[in-house]
Amino acid sequence: MKDSTIVLLQKEIDELKERNGFLQKKLKRFAQAFENSSIGNSIIDLSFRFMYLSSSALTQLGYTNEELSLTSILDITHPDDIELTKYQYDKMLSGEADHVKFEKRYLKKNGSIVWVGVITTLLRSSTDGQPVHFLEQFDDISAKKEAERLLVESELKYKLLFDSMLDGFAYHEIILDDDGVPVDYVFLTVNHTFELLTGLKKNEIVGKRVTEVLPQTEHHWIERYGDVALHGGKVSFEDYSVAFDKYFKVTAYSPEYKRFVSIFIDVTEQRKIEIELNKKIEELDAYFNNAVDLICIADTDGNFIRLNPEWEITLGWSLKEIYAKKFYDFIHPDDIESTLNTVQQLKEQTPIYNFENRYRCKNGDYKWLQWRAVPSGNRLYAAARDISEKKQMDVILEKRVLERTNALEVAYKEMESYSYSVSHDLRAPLRAINGYSKLINEEYSSVLDTEGHRLLGVIQENTLKMSQLIDDLLNFSRLGRSSMHYTEVDMKAIAEKAMQEILSLYPNREVEFVIDDLPPCSGDSAMLKQVWLNLLSNALKFTKQVKRTKIEISFTQTDDFVVYILKDNGIGFDMTYKDKLFGTFQRLHSIKDYEGNGVGLAIVRRIMNRHYGEVSAYSEVGKGATFYLKLPRKEV
């Protein structure tokens, strides 16, 4: 009995030794796996303190076992991940989980951060099941996290780009019928510009068919997109959409089978402008082709670029024949030099508004053309009018003018001879009447009573007036024929001289004469002096009833004209009768009150007309009169 017991005990001892050896081998293999694993392994106590770390764990964190021994894992956990770590470990301690898996950041010894993927298991006692310690396994996932960050960043950039595109963007999937024919397509996504250009909202159309969203969609849009989605490739086109009542410029391509992207812009305004521009071009073409003038576009080298049909009609050449030559080939030899000079002006970008030359017709005749041309770089835009008939008429008119001028010269000479004859014939009886009246007065003075003497005085006075009238008429008629001698006229000097001559005839008149420093003008000095003599005589005549006569001469001027102004303080006149003022033998006042024969102002107007000037007057009754003489500064 004792021996058998010993044998049994020995057997149990041998079994325990064998089991212990197996456990030792198993533990050794676990330690080797724990230590040599490529992932980090660590043993952590229930207070979250490191008990031991594998070589891989130490390498990833940069510490030694001595440095981390009994150090809390929370001490080297990133502050933002501490609560997450505590939460995960508490889940295991509370029995909610026997292991957890999460991502966190550890702080390495050098201060840098390492992202790790963690799997932690709570180890319990095999005897009573109580928690013993944690086995934490972690691996460096920094590269993965960086890739995720870059991916998020890339997606953000893509989204920003997608949403900020100036073009509309839409992603679709084509829908086929049973025969594989495209019949519709679905909106998968659109960008913000799509919404702006179409007025459709992304959240209202994504996942829906285009025929559901836009029932008016024309089928050719579906066919075109279907071809891209099924066969790949890329197409660009411009088309009108009835659904939107707009023109779109579209580029479509297929990133994968049955799907396509459309990128588009609204070109409605551009198309409207193009349509309007084409309309204007058609209008201009219609004008160009139907104009009665010869219209052309040419270059400064003499080449025709475009001609209208009137060239064929006017010159007889076909347009093909004209295009084959330079425009110099058609110009009359005598007009080549002037044409070259004109083209040079156009090369200098100076427009030409009135140029004439002769073009050769197919039958050998020449046509006179009058040109207007505008340059633009080396292009010339020109229009010409056939003035051949006008030129012929000008020759005829010039001949007629010459003939009539000669006839007028003859008539003037005859009139001058007649005027001399009339004046001579009139003066003879006037002299006789005047002489006999003086003789009667001298020899029969004692016989005549007072009334007889008065009547003889009236006869003598009127013969003198008649003689003066004849002289004035002769002077008036000669003004239209006498030659003019243009010089620069000192108007102040001749006005002052005229005033002196007139005042010498009225020694007892009290006159205030004020004259500005008048600018000169161009004219005949003798004629202009006569103007001042007549106007100043009038001023003295019609101021004789005022106590103190005042006559002022001033001026205004422009670049081309001087206006001389003569003002008096006489009786003035009624502007109702201003049209009679400068007529021959026209009087606005009684001859009993104011002497004169009504020729003086008519002479003034004739002289001003011959100077291409003007004379006018303004007055109020009882407030004096103002005369205006407008004369060119230079010879016309």
Side-chain angles (χ1 to χ4, degrees):
M1 184 71 177
K2 183 177 179 182
D3 292 337
S4 61
T5 301
I6 292 171
V7 170
L8 288 172
L9 287 171
Q10 186 63 46
K11 186 177 180 181
E12 287 180 5
I13 291 170
D14 292 339
E15 287 178 354
L16 286 171
K17 285 181 179 181
E18 184 178 352
R19 186 184 296 173
N20 183 55
F22 174 76
L23 289 173
Q24 288 295 330
K25 290 180 181 179
K26 190 174 181 180
L27 182 60
K28 184 176 181 181
R29 285 196 300 270
F30 172 78
Q32 288 175 344
F34 181 89
E35 183 64 29
N36 297 320
S37 174
S38 60
I39 65 173
N41 293 307
S42 64
I43 304 297
I44 301 169
D45 65 18
L46 299 181
S47 298
F48 307 154
R49 292 177 299 182
F50 287 110
M51 297 175 63
Y52 184 79
L53 293 90
S54 68
S55 298
S56 178
L58 294 172
T59 300
Q60 291 183 49
L61 298 176
Y63 291 95
T64 64
N65 264 309
E66 289 75 13
E67 290 171 329
L68 291 180
S69 179
L70 301 180
T71 298
S72 172
I73 63 171
L74 301 179
D75 291 341
I76 63 169
T77 297
H78 191 283
D80 293 344
D81 298 336
I82 289 176
E83 290 302 320
L84 172 64
T85 303
K86 290 169 64 176
Y87 170 75
Q88 296 292 352
Y89 276 71
D90 287 343
K91 279 173 64 177
M92 292 183 287
L93 290 174
S94 66
E96 184 179 342
D98 56 0
H99 70 278
V100 292
K101 183 178 181 179
F102 63 100
E103 295 175 352
K104 62 177 287 186
R105 286 162 289 182
Y106 271 127
L107 303 176
K108 297 176 70 172
K109 183 179 179 180
N110 61 10
S112 61
I113 297 171
V114 59
W115 272 97
V116 294
V118 177
I119 299 176
T120 302
T121 303
L122 178 61
L123 301 178
R124 296 177 180 273
S125 171
S126 58
T127 56
D128 56 11
Q130 290 298 313
V132 177
H133 50 257
F134 299 100
L135 173 62
E136 182 179 275
Q137 296 176 295
F138 60 87
D139 196 15
D140 185 349
I141 60 169
S142 299
K144 173 195 167 196
K145 296 299 287 187
E146 178 63 14
E148 289 177 352
R149 185 189 69 78
L150 292 175
L151 180 61
V152 170
E153 186 177 285
S154 176
E155 289 177 346
L156 179 61
K157 288 180 180 178
Y158 168 77
K159 186 176 185 304
L160 289 172
L161 177 63
F162 183 71
D163 289 336
S164 62
M165 283 176 65
L166 296 177
D167 297 349
F169 180 99
Y171 190 33
H172 307 278
E173 183 171 350
I174 202 73
I175 295 176
L176 310 176
D177 62 11
D178 294 340
D179 297 324
V181 177
V183 293
D184 212 332
Y185 56 85
V186 176
F187 291 96
L188 299 180
T189 188
V190 298
N191 70 348
H192 180 60
T193 305
F194 177 96
E195 295 180 313
L196 295 177
L197 294 177
T198 64
L200 302 174
K201 298 300 181 184
K202 180 178 180 178
N203 60 348
E204 295 176 357
I205 64 172
V206 169
K208 294 182 179 179
R209 297 187 175 201
V210 69
T211 53
E212 179 184 357
V213 176
L214 300 167
Q216 313 97 311
T217 299
E218 306 99 309
H219 192 68
H220 68 266
W221 287 86
I222 298 173
E223 290 178 343
R224 184 176 281 160
Y225 286 144
D227 184 63
V228 172
L230 296 178
H231 302 103
K234 175 181 175 182
V235 295
S236 295
F237 60 91
E238 190 174 304
D239 205 348
Y240 174 74
S241 169
V242 172
F244 295 109
D245 189 24
K246 291 181 178 182
Y247 286 92
F248 293 107
K249 187 175 183 179
V250 183
T251 297
Y253 66 92
S254 175
E256 58 181 301
Y257 180 66
K258 291 182 66 176
R259 293 192 174 189
F260 67 93
V261 170
S262 63
I263 301 172
F264 61 93
I265 57 174
D266 182 354
V267 294
T268 305
E269 290 303 316
Q270 180 181 334
R271 281 299 299 271
K272 286 181 179 178
I273 292 171
E274 289 175 358
I275 291 170
E276 187 64 26
L277 181 59
N278 288 333
K279 182 180 177 182
K280 294 294 183 185
I281 291 172
E282 289 175 1
E283 291 174 354
L284 288 173
D285 284 343
Y287 167 77
F288 189 91
N289 293 324
N290 295 292
V292 295
D293 290 334
L294 288 77
I295 301 177
C296 75
I297 302 172
D299 62 30
T300 51
D301 294 327
N303 301 300
F304 288 110
I305 297 171
R306 187 178 179 188
L307 302 167
N308 71 332
E310 192 64 25
W311 284 81
E312 292 181 318
I313 298 170
T314 302
L315 300 182
W317 304 96
S318 69
L319 291 182
K320 184 177 180 181
E321 289 173 320
I322 300 174
Y323 281 126
K325 298 181 179 181
K326 293 181 180 292
F327 58 71
Y328 298 111
D329 297 329
F330 297 94
I331 297 172
H332 192 285
D334 294 345
D335 298 335
I336 288 291
E337 184 177 353
S338 61
T339 303
L340 289 172
N341 292 335
T342 300
V343 171
Q344 182 58 40
Q345 293 181 49
L346 291 166
K347 285 182 178 180
E348 295 168 359
Q349 304 303 297
T350 302
I352 300 298
Y353 295 108
N354 190 9
F355 171 71
E356 296 175 3
N357 63 6
R358 286 162 287 181
Y359 264 63
R360 180 165 52 87
C361 302
K362 191 168 185 178
N363 63 7
D365 293 338
Y366 281 89
K367 293 275 183 128
W368 275 99
L369 302 180
Q370 186 179 60
W371 291 90
R372 285 193 172 192
V374 177
S376 178
N378 70 334
R379 288 280 178 104
L380 307 178
Y381 299 87
R385 181 162 294 178
D386 182 359
I387 58 170
S388 302
E389 291 185 4
K390 177 180 176 296
K391 283 289 186 179
Q392 292 174 358
M393 289 299 298
D394 287 345
V395 171
I396 295 171
L397 287 173
E398 285 178 10
K399 183 178 179 182
R400 288 180 180 176
V401 168
L402 182 60
E403 290 173 350
R404 290 185 180 183
T405 300
N406 292 333
L408 284 172
E409 287 290 337
V410 172
Y412 273 133
K413 288 179 181 179
E414 291 177 352
M415 183 176 289
E416 190 172 357
S417 176
Y418 174 75
S419 298
Y420 178 79
S421 176
V422 168
S423 64
H424 182 271
D425 292 344
L426 286 174
R427 278 196 175 96
L430 283 175
R431 282 196 298 269
I433 293 170
N434 191 44
Y436 282 120
S437 63
K438 283 184 179 180
L439 182 62
I440 292 171
N441 193 36
E442 291 172 356
E443 295 189 5
Y444 299 95
S445 177
S446 59
V447 179
L448 295 174
D449 59 8
T450 304
E451 179 62 17
H453 283 292
R454 188 189 70 79
L455 290 174
L456 284 174
V458 170
I459 291 171
Q460 290 176 343
E461 182 182 347
N462 279 281
T463 55
L464 290 174
K465 287 183 179 179
M466 187 64 180
S467 179
Q468 183 61 48
L469 180 59
I470 291 170
D471 289 339
D472 288 342
L473 282 172
L474 284 172
N475 290 333
F476 184 76
S477 65
R478 287 172 184 152
L479 277 175
R481 302 190 306 276
S482 60
S483 60
M484 295 181 64
H485 304 284
Y486 272 93
T487 60
E488 184 178 84
V489 180
D490 186 342
M491 290 292 273
K492 182 178 181 182
I494 64 172
E496 288 176 333
K497 189 173 182 180
M499 190 64 181
Q500 290 172 3
E501 292 179 11
I502 295 168
L503 287 175
S504 67
L505 302 176
Y506 302 94
N508 298 322
R509 288 286 299 273
E510 185 178 347
V511 178
E512 180 185 354
F513 182 55
V514 179
I515 184 168
D516 287 352
D517 190 10
L518 304 180
C521 69
S522 178
D524 185 292
S525 179
M527 288 187 181
L528 292 176
K529 181 182 177 184
Q530 187 64 51
V531 168
W532 287 119
L533 283 170
N534 290 9
L535 290 177
L536 290 168
S537 295
N538 257 28
L540 282 170
K541 182 195 304 183
F542 293 107
T543 58
K544 66 181 181 180
Q545 294 184 357
V546 301
K547 188 173 182 179
R548 180 180 175 82
T549 296
K550 184 175 182 179
I551 299 173
E552 301 174 85
I553 300 178
S554 59
F555 73 95
T556 61
Q557 61 184 332
T558 65
D559 291 340
D560 300 319
F561 292 93
V562 182
V563 179
Y564 302 97
I565 305 166
L566 187 150
K567 183 178 181 182
D568 65 52
N569 62 340
I571 60 170
F573 60 87
D574 189 344
M575 288 293 287
T576 305
Y577 306 105
K578 65 178 182 178
D579 293 336
K580 294 184 177 182
L581 194 62
F582 298 99
T584 310
F585 304 124
Q586 297 293 327
R587 299 181 57 87
L588 302 186
H589 303 88
S590 171
I591 192 170
K592 293 180 181 180
D593 300 323
Y594 300 97
E595 70 278 6
N597 50 38
V599 178
L601 291 181
I603 289 174
V604 169
R605 183 170 68 175
R606 176 162 285 194
I607 292 173
M608 292 299 293
N609 287 343
R610 291 205 65 188
H611 282 78
Y612 300 97
E614 297 174 9
V615 60
S616 59
Y618 176 80
S619 179
E620 293 182 40
V621 177
K623 295 185 179 181
T626 303
F627 286 82
Y628 301 91
L629 304 173
K630 182 179 179 182
L631 287 165
R633 297 174 67 96
K634 298 178 181 180
E635 181 179 349
V636 179

